[in-house]
């Protein structure tokens, strides 16, 4: 049986998907991120006529939460009408890793198919701020 809290997050992502602005791809995505204390922030994909300025649903949800002061996340759900289930794109994997760290990722579709994946499966050997720690200052860097 699916955990009630997980279902609540999937429902929020599914509702956000209804707001998708995706006239170029017609690929509607909804996402929802849950904070450690149970608050949910949602996002949908928003496409630009330039294509390249399009923003994925996952990042919209994360930016919304971060810009409201949230810093600790435990789960993120992504809902797309596909089978197989759609995982976050590479750019979103990087952002999820940096800001949601080991959050559990829930993939779902409109037929209630669900899969739970861990960030370490999606982004093994990830790059993040830890690698910048001992970086020499720009003056010391050879040109
Ligand atoms: N998209 C997302 O919103 N999330 C993903 O992880 C995969 C891709 C969006 C971007 C674009 O609007 C559409 O799906 C097709 O790539």
């Amino acid at each position: 049986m699916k955990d009630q809290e997980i279902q609540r997050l999937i429902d929020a992502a599914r509702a956000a998907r209804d707001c998708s602005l995706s006239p170029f791809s017609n690929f509607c995505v909804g996402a929802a991120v849950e904070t450690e204390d149970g608050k949910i922030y949602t996002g949908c994909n928003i496409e630009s006529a330039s294509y390249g300025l399009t923003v994925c649903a996952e990042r919209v949800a994360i930016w919304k939460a971060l810009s409201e002061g949230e810093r600790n996340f435990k789960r993120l759900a992504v809902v797309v009408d596909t089978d197989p289930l759609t995982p976050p794109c590479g750019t979103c994997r990087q952002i999820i890793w940096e800001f949601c760290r080991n959050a559990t990722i829930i993939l779902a579709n409109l037929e209630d198919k669900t899969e739970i994946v861990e960030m370490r499966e999606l982004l093994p050997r990830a790059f993040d701020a830890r690698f910048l720690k001992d970086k020499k200052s720009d003056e010391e860097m050879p040109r």
Side-chain angles (χ1 to χ4, degrees):
M1 204 185 69
K2 217 181 295 163
D3 184 299
Q4 271 188 351
E5 292 192 358
I6 288 179
Q7 190 58 55
R8 186 174 75 113
L9 195 64
I10 293 172
D11 291 345
R14 187 180 173 131
R17 183 182 166 278
D18 292 339
C19 297
S20 170
L21 272 170
S22 43
F24 307 110
S25 70
N26 292 313
F27 191 79
C28 300
V29 185
V33 64
E34 185 180 348
T35 65
E36 281 295 351
D37 55 5
K39 272 177 83 178
I40 291 176
Y41 292 82
T42 62
C44 61
N45 56 327
I46 302 172
E47 296 187 346
S48 156
S50 73
Y51 290 20
L53 295 180
T54 290
V55 190
C56 293
E58 296 90 322
R59 276 174 288 146
V60 171
I62 292 168
W63 297 153
K64 280 169 70 178
L66 291 172
S67 65
E68 296 291 321
E70 304 293 352
R71 292 295 182 266
N72 301 304
F73 305 98
K74 60 179 169 192
R75 284 188 274 260
L76 181 142
V78 187
V79 174
V80 189
D81 187 19
T82 60
D83 192 359
L85 298 170
T86 301
C89 77
T91 301
C92 289
R93 291 178 198 205
Q94 178 68 27
I95 295 300
I96 295 167
W97 173 251
E98 287 189 53
F99 296 101
C100 309
R101 203 45 63 143
N102 283 314
T104 299
I105 309 300
I106 300 142
L107 312 179
N109 68 14
L110 302 185
E111 276 74 54
D112 273 339
K113 182 173 173 183
T114 308
E115 193 182 330
I116 292 183
V117 288
E118 300 297 330
M119 275 312 292
R120 62 178 163 273
E121 294 173 55
L122 293 178
L123 195 63
R125 203 167 173 182
F127 172 79
D128 57 43
R130 289 173 303 177
F131 293 93
L132 303 175
K133 279 266 161 59
D134 299 315
K135 196 176 93 57
K136 290 180 176 172
S137 72
D138 281 343
E139 297 80 64
E140 293 169 307
M141 294 292 277
R143 304 230 166 235

